[in-house]
Amino acid sequence: MMNEQQPTETIFFEDQPVTVRLPIGPGPSKLLLALHGFTGDQHAMEIFFQRIPPSYRIIAPSAPYPSSLGGRSWVRGDREVLPAIADFDPGLDWLRSLLEHVRTLYSARTETLHALGFSQGAAAAFAFGINFPTEVGSLGSLSGFMPDGADQLLKPHSLAGLPVFIAHGTKDEAVPVEEARRAGMILERAGATVNYCEDDVGHKLSVNCFRSLADFYRNR
């Protein structure tokens, strides 16, 4: 577990606030992109910071698009159904520009990128990894889903050996657990190595899956 006093700071990119947890320890750090869910903001992922090893620099941006329900979104407009993978394209371009800004700001061009998201943010992380597989060292989905159309972009070895962490609750009413199981199957068909944690909770992580999340990133 990280030191609870591990320093964070706020930067801004195109007027959007970005929480940055600074790394601790010798040697090059790893870069974790932490993407909040629908109507979230730059603080929503902080609950997971303590499970990420202190050597990681965590980048937790507020998404670029406003939601009429409050907070921010990774796709334009509010969706009554789960967004398709093409809906994330503008947001992915924004994220890549943000990452370039972050790497320049912190002189961190050699850091390995890991993408982790909650709910809609998990779908954005999947979309990022599927569109730019050579740019990520791992993917993580917490109470998330695979965007429709993603399987059409993947070939049997598109994600060969890529480590993926998926955690979901069987009582999740916002994103049914079947979405997580479907995501795992799609990723495994593309060659990814899926670490799956399922527990009897709602739209959140169980204690057991929190432990599994920590183990996953400790071994990256």
Side-chain angles (χ1 to χ4, degrees), residues 24-175:
I24 291 178
S29 59
K30 299 172 184 177
L31 186 62
L32 178 72
L33 185 61
L35 306 179
H36 65 73
F38 182 56
T39 72
D41 61 18
Q42 74 277 14
H43 298 300
M45 295 296 285
E46 291 177 4
I47 188 174
F48 304 112
F49 284 12
Q50 63 180 310
R51 300 294 176 167
I52 308 300
S55 59
Y56 283 76
R57 186 189 311 277
I58 303 178
I59 309 300
S62 179
Y65 307 114
S67 164
S68 65
L69 302 178
R72 310 294 291 184
S73 174
W74 295 105
V75 299
R76 290 190 176 106
D78 294 331
R79 294 289 193 275
E80 293 182 2
V81 296
L82 301 181
I85 193 164
D87 295 326
F88 289 95
D89 286 349
L92 298 185
D93 290 339
W94 186 88
L95 281 172
R96 294 184 85 202
S97 296
L98 166 64
L99 289 167
E100 184 63 24
H101 174 72
V102 165
R103 286 168 169 144
T104 299
L105 182 65
Y106 293 104
S107 300
R109 294 187 176 276
T110 60
E111 291 179 333
T112 300
L113 173 64
H114 302 264
L116 170 71
F118 179 84
S119 196
Q120 189 197 73
F126 282 150
F128 191 102
I130 290 168
N131 279 280
F132 313 109
T134 62
E135 298 183 18
V136 294
S138 74
L139 296 174
S141 169
L142 312 176
S143 303
F145 61 94
M146 180 66 70
D148 284 342
D151 52 343
Q152 299 173 22
L153 301 179
L154 290 169
K155 297 179 180 179
H157 301 290
S158 296
L159 304 177
L162 181 70
V164 177
F165 179 79
I166 297 176
H168 216 96
T170 58
K171 294 180 178 178
D172 193 331
E173 295 182 354
V175 180

Side-chain angles (χ1 to χ4, degrees), residues 53 73 77 156 167 183 189 213:
S73 174
R189 286 200 299 266
L213 175 71

